[in-house]
Amino acid sequence: MTDSPKPKSIEALRAALRQFAAERDWDQFHSPKNLAMALSVEAAELLEIFQWMPDAESRALAADKKAKARQEIADVLLYLIRLADTLDIDLAAAAVEKIELNAARYPADKVRGSSRKYTEY
Amino acid sequence: MTDSPKPKSIEALRAALRQFAAERDWDQFHSPKNLAMALSVEAAELLEIFQWMPDAESRALAADKKAKARQEIADVLLYLIRLADTLDIDLAAAAVEKIELNAARYPADKVRGSSRKYTEY
Amino acid sequence: MTDSPKPKSIEALRAALRQFAAERDWDQFHSPKNLAMALSVEAAELLEIFQWMPDAESRALAADKKAKARQEIADVLLYLIRLADTLDIDLAAAAVEKIELNAARYPADKVRGSSRKYTEY
Amino acid sequence: MTDSPKPKSIEALRAALRQFAAERDWDQFHSPKNLAMALSVEAAELLEIFQWMPDAESRALAADKKAKARQEIADVLLYLIRLADTLDIDLAAAAVEKIELNAARYPADKVRGSSRKYTEY
């Protein structure tokens, strides 16, 4: 449709998930507290794929593990979008602002090639 | 610019994060394994906001905690987009597919008002 | 045996896990980094049991869920003991010190009945 | 005292934490659900120490990071003991049983030197 958002945009996903929950009467379970728990659980399922894997192997992931990672990554995004929606937070705007904040915090010429900026902030 | 993607789209964020890492020579740290760890850590920082909070309070979050949640939610999204990019996974397409899968798995007329579908899959 | 530690002590568990890994040549996988990942994954599996559950239900946990929680709790302890061992950290001594630190940080007469001490430290 | 358990045993820590919570009227916050969240948060704080670190560096951890890890490891243990106590689970007995279960599941002569047993169960 001309007026509908592009199906794969964050906004379109947000709308689809809101309708999905409403149709199932799941808003009662979807408190921000519970959604934050679900998000952490999905993030750990993603982490599990990599847990005993050498770093290099994770950069050339086997097809079956990549397919698994794809599903878990989707789960994380869906709960994240739903959580942002229940908190009335504009997820995309928050992300853009955070990139700008990080750019100011980690000037390229100061932190190049160092992981220190991560561990010390 | 006419041809650039809308700044707040997942695709635009992906491109911005890729450039951000390249300018800082951070690709060496951004293995999928390390990014999955970072994602879990950020998800837990988000979880921490809610950890001793009654469920109802999380649905009417105080302004200072909401501002904190907004930052953590952004961090989770940024690492998720970066992780998907390093794995060459189309994040938005994966999310759309997962919604369709969930719609088939949890028919609205069968699971309405029940949290069982969560705990038993 | 007369000289062996009480089987269920942390020290006895530490020794058993060390032998378990040695017999399987798993020390190569048991870096502190990997063990910390495994610990987080197990903690999330424990969290998953409670994720859509009302707080009160978690205080009167159904038998099947309690049996599941028991297994996950054991997994967390085993990885924690193994991680402490690989880092040459005396787990029990660290715990005793932390309780003393917490007692100083949260005097009973100042924090009684408040969850603030959690969220603000 | 003659009759008190050895101060650093799991049992002694359990008793100390129970008293600690009672003196502060914190039982109201210490539902298993909330404690499982707190446990996950502490596990992630431990994970954060290792997140951008090469595997080898984690095996020879710098003193300042080891001191930090020691504190986080203690936090994980304290919440784990408290959680087991609120669920009336014998933590040490559960751990002993799990080791026995793992010994049956991963016979040394079958899994030696392979991480497969982890990723496939």
Side-chain angles (χ1 to χ4, degrees), chain C residues 24 26-28 30-33 53 55 58-59 66 70 75 87 97-98 106 112-113 117-118, chain D residues 24 26-28 30-33 53 55 58-59 66 70 75 87 97-98 106 113 117-118:
Chain C
R24 284 157 187 79
W26 284 358
D27 288 315
Q28 58 185 313
H30 285 190
S31 67
K33 178 170 177 167
M53 193 181 283
D55 206 59
S58 81
R59 292 182 187 263
K66 186 172 159 178
R70 194 172 185 274
D75 284 333
L87 289 172
E97 280 172 41
K98 196 64 198 282
Y106 308 121
R112 186 167 290 121
K117 82 289 165 202
Y118 290 118
Chain D
R24 284 157 186 79
W26 284 357
D27 288 316
Q28 60 185 310
H30 284 189
S31 67
K33 177 171 177 168
M53 193 180 284
D55 206 59
S58 81
R59 291 183 188 263
K66 186 172 159 180
R70 194 172 186 274
D75 283 334
L87 288 171
E97 280 172 41
K98 196 63 198 281
Y106 309 121
K117 82 290 166 202
Y118 289 118

Side-chain angles (χ1 to χ4, degrees), chain A residues 30 53 75 98 106 118, chain B residues 24 30 33 75 98 118:
Chain A
H30 284 189
M53 193 180 284
D75 283 334
K98 197 62 198 286
Y106 309 122
Y118 291 117
Chain B
R24 283 157 187 79
H30 285 190
K33 178 171 176 167
D75 283 333
K98 197 64 198 285
Y118 290 117

Side-chain angles (χ1 to χ4, degrees), chain A residues 62-75:
Chain A
D64 59 336
K65 290 179 181 166
K66 186 171 159 179
K68 172 81 170 137
R70 192 171 186 276
Q71 292 238 0
E72 302 300 347
I73 281 175
D75 283 334

Side-chain angles (χ1 to χ4, degrees), chain D residues 2 7-8 13-14 23 33 35 37 43 47 52-53 57 62 67 78 83 86 91 95 101 114 116 118:
Chain D
T2 333
K8 301 198 309 188
L13 291 166
R14 189 194 62 74
E23 287 171 355
K33 177 171 177 168
L35 290 166
M37 292 177 76
L47 186 63
W52 305 112
M53 193 180 284
E57 187 181 334
L78 296 182
L83 173 59
T86 61
L91 176 55
L101 187 67
S114 163
R116 182 159 303 184
Y118 289 118

Side-chain angles (χ1 to χ4, degrees), chain A residues 45-101:
Chain A
E45 291 181 2
L46 183 55
L47 187 62
E48 190 179 13
I49 297 169
F50 302 104
Q51 72 180 337
W52 304 111
M53 193 180 284
D55 207 59
E57 186 180 335
S58 80
R59 291 182 188 263
L61 205 61
D64 59 336
K65 290 179 181 166
K66 186 171 159 179
K68 172 81 170 137
R70 192 171 186 276
Q71 292 238 0
E72 302 300 347
I73 281 175
D75 283 334
V76 172
L77 182 61
L78 296 182
Y79 279 125
L80 186 68
I81 290 173
R82 186 82 186 114
L83 173 59
D85 192 29
T86 61
L87 288 172
D88 198 21
I89 286 172
D90 183 331
L91 177 55
V96 170
E97 279 172 41
K98 197 62 198 286
I99 290 182
E100 288 164 359
L101 188 66

Side-chain angles (χ1 to χ4, degrees), chain D residues 10 13-14 17 76-85 91:
Chain D
I10 291 175
L13 291 166
R14 189 194 62 74
L17 289 171
V76 172
L77 182 60
L78 296 182
Y79 280 125
L80 187 68
I81 291 173
R82 187 81 187 113
L83 173 59
D85 192 28
L91 176 55

